């Protein structure tokens, strides 16, 4: 969070491994020839050294469970790309990332497997969309958090990060992180529902099928005598979603059978929508309705709503 001179000591026998963080950070003396060679560093960098510098700047409340060896790689990726101009590590190449993500999502995006390189993929997708600024802004929030807002366990850490990062990007990133298996609470979803959902994230359709989110489903009450206009907002259009509106004089619940009528609403996009429903019985008849939103992996339901038809003009 603050600038400082970083110091390193190279020795024939250090306390742990090839390199380790600390002030100074330590490295084996076999690394000396490379890191003191300006041309070599300018052309090749040193992922390991940048990794240890990253450890020195980790802030533990913002270090999510299983990612102690991930957050420090922000420094490795950043310095390799910005200072050296190379990827710097085979594990962050496109083929490796695609293979890793395929395996992770095919296994059901189990958060217990969300570690090191897989976790880094989650952050890199954000970086590739918005750059480093929102990640830096979200990390900076933790430096001045009041004591009662510092997350105290894993679930709180996951939820706090999604809130801070969403606010930094200006987009609701809860669906994106839920796709990765983050244990998000309803309070987190509710706190972000004033922001637009990031509906263009590269997971959609490629790695994960998102459920849509509809809200504000309504009908005028009373409606016209033999018709009504239902309206709703598509907040998140999900993945390859189609909508069907079911209605009748009894609420048949979240099932397709038993309803007296239905009408296709087609595919959907983010925004406000409406549909006229005709052929209703006039004169004080109460109707109920629900929307079924279907994707390739199932369906979710929204509603119910109810309305009563008006009387015919004399």
């Amino acid at each position: 969070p603050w600038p400082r001179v970083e110091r390193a000591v190279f020795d024939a026998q250090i306390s742990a491994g090839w390199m380790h963080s600390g002030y100074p950070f330590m490295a084996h003396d076999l690394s000396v020839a490379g890191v003191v060679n300006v041309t070599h560093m300018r052309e090749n960098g040193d992922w390991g050294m940048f990794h240890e510098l990253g450890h020195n700047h980790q802030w533990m409340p913002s270090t999510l469970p299983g990612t102690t060896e991930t957050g420090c790689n922000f420094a490795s990726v950043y310095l390799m790309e910005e200072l050296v101009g190379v990827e710097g590590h085979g594990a962050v190449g496109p083929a490796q990332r695609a293979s890793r993500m395929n395996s992770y999502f095919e296994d059901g995006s189990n958060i217990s497997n969300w570690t090191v390189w897989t976790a880094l993929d989650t952050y890199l997708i954000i970086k590739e969309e918005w750059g480093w600024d929102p990640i830096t802004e979200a990390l900076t929030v933790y430096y001045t958090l009041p004591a009662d807002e510092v997350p105290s366990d894993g679930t709180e850490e996951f939820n706090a990060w999604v809130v801070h990062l969403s606010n930094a990007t200006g987009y609701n990133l809860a669906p994106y992180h839920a796709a990765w298996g983050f244990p998000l609470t309803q309070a987190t979803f509710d706190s972000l529902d004033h922001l637009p959902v990031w509906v263009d994230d590269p997971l959609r359709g490629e790695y994960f099928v998102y459920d849509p989110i509809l809200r504000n489903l309504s009908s005028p009450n009373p409606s016209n005598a033999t018709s009504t206009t239902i309206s709703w907002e598509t907040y998140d259009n999900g993945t390859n979603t189609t909508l069907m509106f079911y209605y009748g004089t009894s609420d048949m619940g979240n099932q397709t059978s038993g309803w007296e009528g239905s009408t296709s609403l087609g595919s959907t996009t983010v925004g406000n929508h409406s549909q006229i429903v005709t052929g209703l019985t006039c004169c004080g008849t109460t109707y109920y309705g629900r929307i079924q939103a279907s994707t390739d992996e199932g369906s979710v339901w929204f509603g119910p709503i109810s309305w009563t038809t008006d009387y015919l003009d004399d």
Side-chain angles (χ1 to χ4, degrees):
W2 44 83
R4 71 178 183 187
V5 174
E6 292 290 349
R7 304 184 186 279
V9 170
F10 297 84
D11 204 343
Q13 184 175 1
I14 64 175
S15 60
W18 183 256
M19 292 183 180
H20 67 77
S21 60
Y23 197 75
F25 76 86
M26 302 289 293
H28 197 280
D29 61 7
L30 292 178
S31 301
V32 171
V35 299
V36 299
N37 184 324
V38 175
T39 300
H40 173 84
M41 288 296 289
R42 184 180 293 120
E43 294 177 354
N44 301 282
D46 191 308
W47 179 281
M49 185 174 74
F50 298 157
H51 173 101
E52 303 306 340
L53 289 173
H55 272 309
N56 280 358
H57 290 273
Q58 279 180 308
W59 202 261
M60 294 317 294
S62 63
T63 301
L64 303 186
T67 65
T68 301
E69 297 300 322
T70 300
C72 57
N73 280 332
F74 294 169
S76 297
V77 175
Y78 178 82
L79 291 172
M80 281 295 191
E81 291 181 349
E82 300 297 322
L83 189 64
V84 185
V86 298
E87 287 179 347
H89 200 295
V92 296
Q96 286 268 25
R97 288 176 60 188
S99 174
R100 212 164 37 236
M101 289 168 62
N102 273 321
S103 296
Y104 183 77
F105 284 101
E106 286 175 1
D107 193 42
S109 54
N110 185 341
I111 196 64
S112 64
N113 297 328
W114 189 77
T115 57
V116 191
W117 298 110
T118 302
L120 186 61
D121 295 332
T122 309
Y123 295 101
L124 290 181
I125 289 173
I126 298 295
K127 187 270 293 186
E128 287 156 0
E129 178 70 16
W130 287 287
W132 287 105
D133 285 350
I135 295 176
T136 301
E137 180 180 334
L139 291 170
T140 303
V141 169
Y142 290 84
Y143 304 151
T144 56
L145 277 181
D148 61 348
E149 294 182 23
V150 175
S152 59
D153 60 33
T155 297
E156 288 187 5
E157 288 170 354
F158 281 117
N159 282 269
W161 175 250
V162 172
V163 170
H164 297 318
L165 187 60
S166 294
N167 288 330
T169 61
Y171 281 83
N172 181 350
L173 300 179
Y176 169 74
H177 287 93
W180 286 95
F182 278 36
L184 301 184
T185 65
Q186 188 59 47
T188 293
F189 283 96
D190 292 344
S191 71
L192 297 173
D193 66 7
H194 64 290
L195 298 174
V197 174
W198 184 28
V199 296
D200 298 320
D201 82 68
L203 300 185
R204 291 180 179 245
E206 185 70 23
Y207 298 99
F208 189 82
V209 174
Y210 285 76
D211 284 334
I213 301 173
L214 308 187
R215 55 190 188 183
N216 302 325
L217 176 60
S218 65
S219 165
N221 190 26
S223 67
N224 293 333
T226 59
S227 67
T228 191
T229 300
I230 63 165
S231 59
W232 71 94
E233 177 195 359
T234 298
Y235 179 53
D236 184 341
N237 58 351
T239 305
N240 298 326
T241 302
T242 57
L243 305 180
M244 182 73 73
F245 181 63
Y246 291 88
Y247 60 95
T249 54
S250 296
D251 180 10
M252 304 309 297
N254 295 341
Q255 60 179 359
T256 59
S257 61
W259 294 95
E260 296 167 26
S262 63
T263 185
S264 173
L265 307 178
S267 59
T268 191
T269 56
V270 170
N272 294 311
H273 303 274
S274 63
Q275 174 71 39
I276 297 174
V277 179
T278 60
L280 305 181
T281 301
C282 75
C283 312
T285 303
T286 297
Y287 280 87
Y288 303 86
R290 296 174 185 253
I291 290 180
Q292 180 193 37
S294 300
T295 67
D296 294 339
E297 293 195 354
S299 62
V300 291
W301 290 78
F302 300 91
I305 58 170
S306 64
W307 69 95
T308 301
T309 57
D310 205 349
Y311 288 82
L312 294 170
D313 293 335
D314 292 335

